[in-house]
Amino acid sequence: MSARERLTDALYGLGWSTVKRLPEPVAVRLGRTIADVAWKRRGAGVLRLESNLARVVPDASPQRLAELSRAGMRSYLRYWIESFRLPAWSAERVEAGLEIGDLHRLDEGLAAGKGVVLALPHLGNWDLAGAWLTTALKMPFTTVAERLKPETLYDRFVAYREGLGMEVLPHSGGSAFGTLARRLRDGGVVCLVADRDLSASGVEVKFFGETARMPAGPALLALHTGAVLLPVTLWYDDARMMRGRVHPPVEVPETGTRTEKTSVMTQALADAFATGIAEHPEDWHMLQRLWVADLDPAKGPS
């Protein structure tokens, strides 16, 4: 393990061990302070966020983009502060932290008996949404996690999410798809963050007027198992509340090859994600390259 990897692991460990013990108002102020300092430094992540937001709000002035990126960094740090604190939250605090609209679509999907795939963009706090599912609805689910470096950091994230009641599978290794499919055939729930392709071989979609690549997994799982595919978007409302919406199910095209159906369904997901992101751009935590025009063909996403 390199010195940088050891430092990264230590900093995350410090966050989980220390931030969760702070009084909530202190933790909130800490997150906002870190966000403002990072925003003022205009590092690569902030500049990338601003560039991404320029696609979402194409008519925004430079001042408006700066305001959005500052709000975006505050939202991003709120995600991290909440995530560090989630293991110490009571069930009541978790349940009070989220309100989901059109939840009947999830109930109807489960009633069909073939499982449900919930697909989300990097919007709001998807970990809180997962904790809410397992706590408020008593609904276990399976997800995947990117293999982070160092391995000890990946292990921290897996332990953290499993502690919130999730079953976590590694994104790489090739066995995740089969396990997810089995969970769906058993009538279970799979949750996937699905607005950024990590494989450099995803499905090309039109996203805010430009070509981007998004993972094929959600659509393929729905096609392979018959599960209902539901887009979900999240956003922050006030100091203690996050809200969300379950969008209408993505329909399976009646004609076409599996590849063609996958493409159409992934585009439908992208359209639903775009609706939620356009309504709440400051809560979209995309500090990485996403659009094909921004990617290095030799390296893929970074």
Side-chain angles (χ1 to χ4, degrees):
M1 186 189 303
S2 69
R4 182 176 180 179
E5 289 175 342
R6 286 196 298 271
L7 177 60
T8 300
D9 183 52
L11 288 174
Y12 278 101
L14 181 65
W16 269 301
S17 64
T18 302
V19 173
K20 69 181 180 183
R21 296 191 178 96
L22 295 175
E24 187 160 357
V26 175
V28 169
R29 287 196 299 271
L30 175 63
R32 180 162 291 202
T33 298
I34 295 172
D36 288 348
V37 169
W39 178 78
K40 288 177 182 176
R41 288 181 175 174
R42 309 288 291 164
V46 173
L47 294 177
R48 177 54 53 192
L49 174 63
E50 214 160 275
S51 174
N52 290 340
L53 289 171
R55 264 86 167 224
V56 176
V57 191
D59 58 348
S61 65
Q63 179 180 354
R64 174 59 177 151
L65 275 178
E67 291 170 351
L68 275 176
S69 67
R70 184 180 188 184
M73 289 304 295
R74 288 181 171 186
S75 176
Y76 183 54
L77 264 294
R78 175 174 174 174
Y79 161 80
W80 279 111
I81 293 294
E82 285 181 348
S83 295
F84 287 143
R85 294 174 59 78
L86 263 176
W89 280 13
S90 66
E92 292 75 19
R93 177 68 181 89
V94 171
E95 291 180 28
L98 176 62
E99 183 177 288
I100 293 280
D102 297 316
L103 197 58
H104 65 91
R105 290 173 176 143
L106 173 56
D107 295 332
E108 291 165 359
L110 289 172
K114 294 185 178 180
V116 170
V117 179
L118 299 175
L120 306 87
H122 287 81
L123 197 62
N125 189 336
W126 45 97
D127 284 331
L128 172 56
W132 187 85
L133 272 183
T134 60
T135 302
L137 300 187
K138 304 296 188 290
M139 186 178 293
F141 67 90
T142 305
T143 188
V144 297
E146 179 184 0
R147 275 205 175 277
L148 302 170
K149 292 183 179 180
E151 191 76 13
T152 51
L153 180 57
Y154 170 75
D155 292 340
R156 286 185 191 275
F157 271 94
V158 170
Y160 154 65
R161 290 183 170 131
E162 288 180 341
L164 298 176
M166 313 175 193
E167 180 187 20
V168 183
L169 308 175
H171 181 271
S172 58
S175 62
F177 188 91
T179 302
L180 295 173
R182 286 193 295 274
R183 299 294 182 267
L184 292 169
R185 290 195 187 97
D186 290 339
V189 176
V190 166
C191 296
L192 300 171
V193 180
D195 58 343
R196 180 171 176 257
D197 179 51
L198 296 174
S199 66
S201 61
V203 177
E204 289 197 350
V205 296
K206 284 297 180 183
F207 195 55
F208 292 102
E210 293 190 41
T211 302
R213 279 196 289 265
M214 294 189 180
L220 283 173
L221 282 167
L223 284 170
H224 193 66
T225 66
V228 176
L229 176 54
L230 294 174
V232 178
T233 54
L234 307 166
W235 64 93
Y236 285 123
D237 187 9
D238 58 32
R240 290 174 62 86
M241 175 67 73
M242 185 171 71
R243 298 189 187 278
R245 174 190 174 197
V246 181
H247 293 253
V250 172
E251 300 293 339
V252 177
E254 294 183 1
T255 60
T257 65
R258 180 175 291 269
T259 298
E260 290 168 342
K261 290 179 180 180
T262 300
S263 179
V264 170
M265 294 171 72
T266 305
Q267 182 64 62
L269 268 186
D271 292 342
F273 292 167
T275 297
I277 292 166
E279 291 172 350
H280 305 280
E282 68 280 2
D283 289 326
W284 189 39
H285 306 152
M286 187 55 65
L287 281 70
Q288 299 84 20
R289 294 179 177 88
L290 178 71
W291 280 272
V292 169
D294 295 335
L295 298 176
D296 180 343
K299 297 180 180 178
S302 63

